[in-house]
Amino acid sequence: MSIVLARIDDRLIHGQVMTSWLNYTGANKIIVIDDVTANDSFLTMIIKTLVPANIVTQVTTVADSAAVIAGLQDHDKAIILAKTPEAYVHLADSGVKLAKVNIGGMGIKPGRKTVYKNISASEAEIDQLKQLIQRGIQVEIQMVAEDPAMDFKRFI
């Protein structure tokens, strides 16, 4: 099993993920970690219909995410998607080994400040990203695979 991309993107499934990242990573599985989506069968159905039929898609809560990832098979090449860094802190706390977390979209909303272009974060989210960095997990900003990755540390 391998995690080929761990991405923070508050849009979850959209064109950049479906075109750029699926092609770049060669993923055959997508795991969406989001409590709201996981607890809403209609949202889960929408997420699954947006993904090509040959890509296995699972939607899980933050609490169950480490167990879902532990269940990946040897042939799985998984993209992990979450709206916020909280999910990745939980995964790291649960023993999931992450080499890198990619920030692709954290939009402006109340309580967040702009960090870089269309990337904004609350103080709690910045603290969570710092926790990942302190654990040796590389945190990068990269919208699409074709763009150069930027080390998040330079923005905090």
Side-chain angles (χ1 to χ4, degrees), residues 52-132:
N54 64 324
I55 306 296
V56 176
T57 306
Q58 285 183 270
V59 180
T60 185
T61 62
V62 172
D64 293 339
S65 60
V68 169
I69 291 169
L72 289 171
Q73 303 297 307
D74 290 341
H75 66 277
D76 288 328
K77 294 169 67 177
I79 291 176
I80 312 298
L81 299 172
K83 290 184 178 182
T84 68
E86 174 188 19
Y88 295 106
V89 171
H90 172 78
L91 290 175
D93 287 347
S94 300
V96 175
K97 302 292 183 211
L98 299 167
K100 185 187 313 183
V101 171
N102 167 281
I103 303 173
M106 292 177 68
I108 296 169
K109 66 181 186 183
R112 282 184 171 172
K113 66 178 184 175
T114 300
V115 177
Y116 174 79
K117 293 187 179 182
N118 67 333
I119 306 297
S120 62
S122 68
E123 289 302 321
E125 291 166 333
I126 289 172
D127 182 58
Q128 291 163 350
L129 292 164
K130 287 178 180 177
Q131 288 177 48
L132 295 173

Side-chain angles (χ1 to χ4, degrees), residues 16-93:
Q16 290 171 347
V17 172
M18 291 300 93
T19 56
S20 177
W21 290 109
L22 269 177
N23 289 333
Y24 179 77
T25 62
N28 59 12
K29 187 168 210 163
I30 294 176
I31 299 171
V32 173
I33 303 171
D34 183 58
D35 290 345
V36 172
T37 305
N39 290 310
D40 185 320
S41 60
F42 181 71
L43 287 176
T44 296
M45 180 198 63
I46 290 173
I47 289 286
K48 289 182 176 185
T49 60
L50 294 172
V51 177
N54 64 324
I55 306 296
V56 176
T57 306
Q58 285 183 270
V59 180
T60 185
T61 62
V62 172
D64 293 339
S65 60
V68 169
I69 291 169
L72 289 171
Q73 303 297 307
D74 290 341
H75 66 277
D76 288 328
K77 294 169 67 177
I79 291 176
I80 312 298
L81 299 172
K83 290 184 178 182
T84 68
E86 174 188 19
Y88 295 106
V89 171
H90 172 78
L91 290 175
D93 287 347

